[in-house]
Amino acid sequence: MSADANLVKAPRSPLAPVLVLLLLLLPAGVYSLSNLSSMTEWVKHTDEVRVSLGRVLSTLVDGETGVRGYVLVGDPTFLEPYNKAATLWKTDFDQLRALTADNAGQQQRLGHLWQLAGKRVELLKAMRAKYDAGQRDAELKPLIVEGKRTMDEIRALVATLDQEEKRLYGIRQDRAISQWRWTMALFLGGALTFLLVVGALWIQRRDADMERRRAEDVARASELFSIVLQGVDMGITVQDAAGRLIYANEAAASITGYGSPEELLAASITEVMGRFDVLNFDGTPFPLEQMPNRVAFEGKASDEIPLRFRVRGTREERWSLVRAVPSHDPSGKQVLYVINFFREVTEEIRDKHQRTFLLRAVDELNSSLDYEKTLAAVTRLAVPTLADWCAIDLGDGDRTKRVAIAHVDPAKVAFVEALERRYPPDPTAKTGTPQILRTGKHEFIAEMPRELLLAAAVDADHLKLIDELQLCSYIGVPLTVRGKTIGAFTFAMAESARRYTEKDLEVAQALADRAALAIENARLFHEAEQARAVATAQRDQTEERFRLMIQSVRDYAIFMLDRNGVVATWNTGAQLIKGYRPDEIIGQHFSRFYPEHAVRSGYCEHELDVAARVGRFEDEGWRVRKDGSRFWASVIITAMTDEHGRLKGFAKITRDLTERKQNEEALAAEALRRKQAENESQFAETFVGILGHDLRNPLNAIIMAATLMKKRANGNDTKTIDRVLSSADRMANMVAQLLDLTRSRLAGGIFLEKGLGDLGALISGIVDELRLVYPGRDIRWESLGQGQGSWDKVRLAQVCSNLVGNALQHGDATKAVTVRLLPAGRDSVALSVHSHGHPISSDLLPVIFEPYRRNTANTERSKGLGLGLFITHQIVEAHGGDIHVCS
């Protein structure tokens, strides 16, 4: 404002002519810019005319192509482009007329084009009508020739119209470029004039007060920063030499917790820094004298350093990468400003902490089978990374049992426990842990509504206590094991004022899944330990009986060895298995029972050494009887010690497992043979799938060629062609079945494309088609249930066609085939197909839905590969249903 006042007081200033020139150039530039915009619109208008012209021609060509394809092949599907063109060409033509309303010449040409287009459409209509009336090649030729002549005229006229628009486009584009040059000249002249004004002002004001000039510089810098940096997501602030904030963008205000840049600038730097505890990333205090802005005030640009800011009061934590750059005076000696840059990385750090937390939590859950102890450790880990407080509750009959709770403020844990004792949770509540246990579904409240807290409060005192918790965001996830909800894991944000996101919900659910697995593993272990304890007690009770019975055991060789391996006792089982009488073996070394190579290698001594060191040795291997024959033995050697742990000898139990060994070898050989057979079967199915896929193209070519030959036969003898088409249809059906077999066996099942539809209407259509194919057969159709649902209609049509077709093919031709749609429960329906005739073989019934199975009772040559019922079974199972047959 002071600069403008000085200009008013200096009438002789040379700025007056320059200002007059600037005032003249400005409206001239605006006027020129307006003309440039209008000319640019005309260029775009010309483009639209040419595009619309091409659309009209394309529509007519599509209609001509559709009718020609229909006349050539006779397939009504070729008429779709013609029908569409007959509907759209007038609309496209009206749009083209409207676009060229400013050009009388083009309007005249369009009138001619309208007559030609109408004539062409009428010719196409006449050609289609004559073809439908049975006229063919020679009868249609005049219409085709006349249509071609008309179409050539249309193309020539369209080319003329387009050439005119192209000429206009060139003229309008040249004018627009010329106008753009004048506009740029005016604006450059204005800019140059403006620079002259600024230069004159700078010359006039160079002796002005330094403080005022600095303020003007700061104002210009602030304006520049405001224009360039307000949209940047990086926080940017500027401090003057005294350390005062003179600029801040929106991101800086948001990062520092202020509502707007104006609020931030109104605060002193001391107030701003007083809102936070400044820490290193690891949580240790950061020296304020090393802050980047202080380094910059010393004239040095700081490196980008990572800082962690903890909001005092709420203890919310944020992470940023901070750096500062000094701005010097022209001499380069004095720092006039310091520019601070804040790049917030809070989300990245929280993601990293959450990943680290999950890894630590998994390690903690795997560290012990005392799940209550590990769950308590996990809840402590979750605070404050994932929550300000969290708790784990497990279902205990009709009640819940809290097994772990943690809070950022340990004193609050006792507060929450006292609150729940005074106001016990409502087991019928529609929210919270009771609801999660009932439904097995998670709860997610990003912003805790006041209405929910009011609804949860029993009375005013209860509401006051709830408010003290400062709850602001909540996640509750189920602990689910084998489809059963056994508990709930709840997380809440309070003092930190953080809000949960969908990503936090994913982390919480992942943690809950791992916790549920740890609980299940611990429970299984405890059950196993209890079972082991019971077994041990039972074993102790039977030891005395075992001792009394041992001498009469005949299936096991049970005897004692002294410390050197010499046989000391011998039971009946040992005599039967090894062939020695007690007087022949007692006093002999037990190595007599081993092959020579085992004795030479010292294996016998190794067995005793292991048993003496660890208390027990188990082994299976070949042993030798008295007569020299070998047998496969299971051996257990147990060290016998006195009450002081001194070795007294060994107890050895040997069992003859020769028969089991032989059976295992036979089973292994059978498994190998089965594996080889499966590999050969998979190779065969893969080959069949490739063969079926590659046969489609030549089959399609055969069908198309035969169809065309039949059309050109004009009703003459077509028996051979019909046989070719019939064989090709059978082959196509076989190929389709082979591909479905390959998908079900090798590709994970038959792929479905489901959509809403009426199954009853679908089956009714299939029955009508089969009545046409079998005109002499009685097919009865009854719909007794609702058929609305989500189906793959094409696949279910294949199911119905296969089942009813089989019934017609294999059933008694003199009796009816009955097809019924019945209700089968709340969300299911049943399709029943019943026929009369020869019974299905009892050998075939269990395997009728396997591939390559046929009813041998039918003497008619099969038209398929025996895959129809197999594919039907796969489709029904893919829909989640089942299928069975009775005869």
Side-chain angles (χ1 to χ4, degrees):
M1 292 298 293
S2 59
D4 293 340
N6 289 340
L7 289 174
V8 173
K9 292 177 182 178
R12 296 182 181 180
S13 171
L15 285 177
V18 178
L19 288 175
V20 172
L21 179 60
L22 181 61
L23 292 175
L24 291 175
L25 288 174
L26 182 59
V30 172
Y31 176 75
S32 180
L33 184 62
S34 176
N35 285 341
L36 175 61
S37 176
S38 176
M39 293 177 181
T40 303
E41 289 299 322
W42 275 108
V43 172
K44 293 181 180 178
H45 176 80
T46 306
D47 284 335
E48 291 179 4
V49 172
R50 297 184 70 186
V51 170
S52 181
L53 191 61
R55 186 161 55 246
V56 169
L57 180 60
S58 176
T59 300
L60 293 174
V61 171
D62 286 346
E64 180 182 23
T65 304
V67 172
R68 285 186 176 179
Y70 173 64
V71 169
L72 178 63
V73 179
D75 188 348
T77 58
F78 281 96
L79 290 176
E80 292 180 4
Y82 164 75
N83 295 331
K84 184 176 179 183
T87 304
L88 296 179
W89 79 273
K90 292 183 179 180
T91 302
D92 294 342
F93 210 98
D94 291 341
Q95 182 180 4
L96 184 57
R97 278 180 168 172
L99 289 173
T100 59
D102 60 302
N103 192 325
Q106 293 290 74
Q107 287 285 300
Q108 184 177 1
R109 295 184 188 95
L110 285 176
H112 187 199
L113 180 60
W114 170 268
Q115 296 174 358
L116 292 174
K119 178 181 179 181
R120 184 56 183 142
V121 171
E122 290 301 322
L123 288 172
L124 292 175
K125 187 184 298 183
M127 184 185 302
R128 176 185 173 183
K130 287 189 175 184
Y131 181 85
D132 290 340
Q135 297 184 17
R136 293 297 183 268
D137 299 334
E139 293 89 340
L140 298 178
K141 185 175 180 180
L143 289 176
I144 295 174
V145 172
E146 180 65 20
K148 181 179 184 305
R149 184 183 303 110
T150 304
M151 200 65 203
D152 290 342
E153 292 181 19
I154 290 173
R155 287 191 175 93
L157 187 53
V158 168
T160 302
L161 287 164
D162 185 69
Q163 187 63 32
E164 174 63 15
E165 290 299 328
K166 187 175 181 181
R167 184 186 67 81
L168 292 174
Y169 180 86
I171 294 172
R172 290 167 178 171
Q173 189 175 42
D174 291 342
R175 290 177 180 175
I177 293 173
S178 176
Q179 188 65 39
W180 177 82
R181 290 171 180 167
W182 275 105
T183 303
M184 291 303 298
L186 289 171
F187 273 98
L188 288 175
L192 181 60
T193 304
F194 175 75
L195 291 176
L196 291 174
V197 172
V198 174
L201 287 174
W202 180 80
I203 294 173
Q204 287 185 352
R205 299 292 295 174
R206 63 184 175 181
D207 297 328
D209 177 71
M210 180 64 70
E211 186 67 25
R212 185 170 58 189
R213 187 177 65 182
R214 181 181 301 169
E216 292 174 355
D217 292 341
V218 170
R220 284 194 295 271
S222 298
E223 182 180 1
L224 179 62
F225 276 120
S226 298
I227 295 172
V228 178
L229 302 177
Q230 278 301 333
V232 178
D233 58 358
M234 176 183 288
I236 301 175
T237 61
V238 180
Q239 295 176 261
D240 62 12
R244 296 189 301 271
L245 289 172
I246 61 173
Y247 173 80
N249 66 351
E250 293 284 352
S254 176
I255 291 173
T256 54
Y258 286 89
S260 66
E262 291 73 19
E263 290 184 19
L264 175 58
L265 294 177
S268 66
I269 193 66
T270 304
E271 293 175 354
V272 175
M273 296 305 298
R275 298 165 64 94
F276 308 99
D277 291 326
V278 183
L279 311 169
N280 290 301
F281 263 30
D282 60 4
T284 58
F286 182 83
L288 294 181
E289 61 273 9
Q290 297 180 14
M291 287 292 289
N293 63 332
R294 298 195 181 185
V295 175
F297 273 119
E298 295 176 0
K300 304 175 182 178
S302 72
D303 296 329
E304 189 174 61
I305 61 173
L307 292 178
R308 179 176 179 178
F309 298 91
R310 179 182 296 149
V311 181
R312 293 176 180 172
T314 66
R315 300 185 63 81
E316 179 185 6
E317 293 187 343
R318 309 188 74 83
W319 289 262
S320 296
L321 300 178
V322 183
R323 65 186 180 94
V325 177
S327 175
H328 297 85
D329 62 4
S331 66
K333 296 180 180 180
Q334 183 179 355
V335 176
L336 297 180
Y337 310 104
V338 167
I339 307 172
N340 303 297
F341 299 91
F342 308 84
R343 185 160 62 89
E344 187 171 14
V345 293
T346 300
E347 292 303 321
E348 292 89 332
I349 296 300
R350 284 178 179 168
D351 288 345
K352 179 180 178 182
H353 286 177
Q354 287 178 349
R355 289 193 297 271
T356 303
F357 160 70
L358 276 178
L359 293 175
R360 292 181 60 193
V362 171
D363 290 341
E364 189 69 40
L365 290 169
N366 294 334
S367 65
S368 171
L369 289 170
D370 185 351
Y371 70 87
E372 293 192 6
K373 177 181 177 182
T374 57
L375 292 179
V378 169
T379 56
R380 290 193 296 271
L381 283 176
V383 174
T385 302
L386 196 59
D388 291 332
W389 73 268
C390 70
I392 300 178
D393 298 275
L394 299 182
D396 186 10
D398 296 333
R399 297 179 299 174
T400 59
K401 174 186 177 183
R402 176 153 293 171
V403 296
I405 185 171
H407 194 280
V408 289
D409 181 3
K412 283 289 183 72
V413 174
F415 174 80
V416 171
E417 292 175 347
L419 174 63
E420 293 187 347
R421 284 195 299 271
R422 182 176 176 185
Y423 297 97
D426 181 6
T428 64
K430 300 300 183 182
T431 59
T433 299
Q435 181 70 358
I436 295 174
L437 289 173
R438 281 193 300 271
T439 65
K441 299 180 179 179
H442 70 263
E443 292 184 339
F444 173 50
I445 304 177
E447 185 76 34
M448 186 72 71
R450 182 65 180 172
E451 295 77 11
L452 185 60
L453 299 179
L454 293 173
V458 176
D459 51 34
D461 290 340
H462 192 198
L463 178 61
K464 183 177 180 180
L465 294 173
I466 292 176
D467 287 338
E468 290 187 29
L469 296 176
Q470 306 177 37
L471 302 176
C472 61
S473 193
Y474 163 78
I475 288 176
V477 291
L479 297 170
T480 305
V481 176
R482 294 197 297 269
K484 180 181 178 182
T485 302
I486 63 172
F489 210 149
T490 55
F491 307 82
M493 291 297 185
E495 289 83 349
S496 67
R498 287 186 287 165
R499 300 298 189 269
Y500 283 121
T501 64
E502 292 288 346
K503 192 170 185 180
D504 295 318
L505 175 61
E506 293 176 5
V507 174
Q509 188 61 67
L511 178 61
D513 293 341
R514 289 162 174 79
L517 182 60
I519 294 172
E520 180 66 6
N521 289 340
R523 286 180 173 176
L524 292 176
F525 176 77
H526 291 155
E527 291 174 0
E529 285 294 303
Q530 292 174 357
R532 187 180 294 111
V534 171
T536 301
Q538 293 175 347
R539 184 188 61 198
D540 292 340
Q541 294 174 4
T542 58
E543 279 185 355
E544 180 64 18
R545 299 174 184 173
F546 180 76
R547 186 184 64 81
L548 297 174
M549 295 172 58
I550 194 170
Q551 292 300 326
S552 61
V553 172
R554 303 174 65 86
D555 295 332
Y556 291 85
I558 304 174
F559 53 94
M560 298 290 298
L561 305 176
D562 66 12
R563 289 182 298 178
N564 298 317
V566 175
V567 178
T569 64
W570 200 249
N571 78 330
T572 303
Q575 182 173 342
L576 294 174
I577 292 174
K578 297 180 181 291
Y580 294 96
R581 298 191 309 273
D583 60 313
E584 293 176 323
I585 196 62
I586 293 177
Q588 302 294 322
H589 196 268
F590 81 110
S591 60
R592 296 186 65 176
F593 312 138
Y594 289 76
E596 291 185 6
H597 66 86
V599 177
R600 290 195 302 270
S601 65
Y603 191 73
C604 301
E605 290 76 10
H606 168 72
E607 289 183 346
L608 297 182
D609 180 61
V610 172
R613 285 188 291 103
V614 301
R616 182 183 179 89
F617 177 84
E618 295 186 27
D619 185 28
E620 286 190 9
W622 292 109
R623 298 295 185 267
V624 181
R625 293 188 177 92
K626 176 183 176 182
D627 60 7
S629 62
R630 298 199 311 166
F631 67 97
W632 186 262
S634 170
V635 176
I636 299 176
I637 300 177
T638 304
M640 309 297 293
T641 58
D642 60 15
E643 65 273 11
H644 302 292
R646 291 188 294 265
L647 181 65
K648 304 299 290 183
F650 302 92
K652 185 175 182 182
I653 303 175
T654 302
R655 184 182 180 189
D656 186 355
L657 300 179
T658 304
E659 183 177 356
R660 191 199 72 178
K661 178 67 173 176
Q662 293 171 347
N663 291 337
E664 288 178 350
E665 291 175 348
L667 288 175
E670 178 62 24
L672 179 59
R673 287 193 296 271
R674 187 180 296 111
K675 182 64 176 178
Q676 291 173 345
E678 290 175 354
N679 291 339
E680 293 173 357
S681 175
Q682 184 175 7
F683 171 78
E685 290 177 356
T686 304
F687 174 76
V688 164
I690 296 172
L691 178 62
H693 184 274
D694 290 345
L695 283 176
R696 276 188 165 180
N697 290 335
L699 270 177
N700 290 336
I702 291 172
I703 292 172
M704 291 178 63
T707 302
L708 187 57
M709 291 171 62
K710 185 175 181 180
K711 290 182 180 294
R712 291 179 176 178
N714 292 327
N716 297 327
D717 186 9
T718 59
K719 291 183 178 180
T720 302
I721 298 176
D722 289 337
R723 292 188 63 185
V724 170
L725 287 172
S726 175
S727 298
D729 287 340
R730 287 180 56 213
M731 191 64 184
N733 181 54
M734 293 179 183
V735 169
Q737 291 183 343
L738 289 174
L739 291 177
D740 281 342
L741 170 66
T742 305
R743 293 189 191 101
S744 63
R745 289 293 187 89
L746 304 180
I750 292 179
F751 176 72
L752 299 181
E753 293 185 1
K754 290 187 177 181
L756 295 178
D758 187 346
L759 184 58
L762 177 67
I763 297 173
S764 179
I766 297 299
V767 170
D768 289 340
E769 291 176 3
L770 290 172
R771 284 169 177 164
L772 295 176
V773 177
Y774 296 89
R777 298 298 297 275
D778 182 9
I779 306 176
R780 299 178 183 178
W781 157 236
E782 301 175 6
S783 178
L784 305 178
Q786 293 293 329
Q788 293 293 335
S790 178
W791 330 90
D792 185 326
K793 293 185 285 186
V794 175
R795 287 298 188 180
L796 287 185
Q798 185 178 356
V799 168
C800 182
S801 180
N802 280 345
L803 294 179
V804 181
N806 278 353
L808 292 168
Q809 181 180 356
H810 300 287
D812 188 342
T814 64
K815 295 185 179 180
V817 173
T818 303
V819 183
R820 292 188 179 94
L821 184 65
L822 309 169
R826 181 179 179 184
D827 296 318
S828 301
V829 293
L831 171 63
S832 168
V833 179
H834 179 263
S835 65
H836 301 271
H838 294 290
I840 300 173
S841 169
S842 59
D843 295 335
L844 181 61
L845 277 174
V847 296
I848 195 169
F849 293 110
E850 294 183 4
Y852 309 117
R853 301 289 183 177
R854 298 188 182 92
N855 186 358
T856 56
N858 183 16
T859 59
E860 181 184 354
R861 185 171 64 91
S862 175
K863 296 183 180 180
L865 298 173
L867 295 175
L869 290 180
F870 168 74
I871 294 169
T872 296
H873 181 267
Q874 296 296 312
I875 294 172
V876 171
E877 282 198 339
H879 277 83
D882 57 76
I883 184 170
H884 60 275
V885 61
C886 58
S887 180

